[in-house]
Amino acid sequence: MALLWPKRRVLEVYLNIVEFGPGVYGAEAAARAFFNRPAADLTAQQAAQLAVVLPAPLQWSAAAPTPYLRERAATVRRRMGQLGPLLACAE
């Protein structure tokens, strides 16, 4: 798929099917389940919290992040600011 689809489409499909927690599939469902709001209304911090649980979403929670996850989310937020135009593929 990565060779046939544009990066934006690959990211879109992945974020619509990835499991963020038990029975919580997709970024929209995760935003509503963990933060009580649609994905489009997430803060940068909340979006980063969702991103950092993906290596182990059944063990970690975006809604109740450990100090380790909060640190990882802060790193993600810093890197988002540093990447700037390189993130255009995700827009």
Side-chain angles (χ1 to χ4, degrees):
M1 284 189 295
L3 296 174
L4 300 174
W5 288 353
K7 289 178 185 178
R8 179 185 170 101
R9 180 66 178 146
V10 171
L11 185 60
E12 178 185 4
V13 169
Y14 175 72
L15 289 175
N16 280 315
I17 63 170
V18 67
E19 184 175 21
F20 281 93
V24 181
Y25 294 93
E28 183 67 29
R32 291 180 185 278
F34 299 127
F35 301 112
N36 232 9
R37 61 178 61 193
D41 293 342
L42 290 176
T43 66
Q45 179 62 34
Q46 291 167 333
Q49 284 176 224
L50 286 179
V52 299
V53 301
L54 289 179
L58 299 178
Q59 297 170 350
W60 294 333
S61 171
T66 63
Y68 171 73
L69 289 179
R70 283 194 292 275
E71 183 179 322
R72 284 176 50 109
T75 299
V76 167
R77 289 189 62 206
R78 278 193 307 277
R79 290 184 180 167
M80 287 169 59
Q82 293 167 351
L83 290 173
L86 294 176
L87 292 177
C89 73
E91 295 176 352

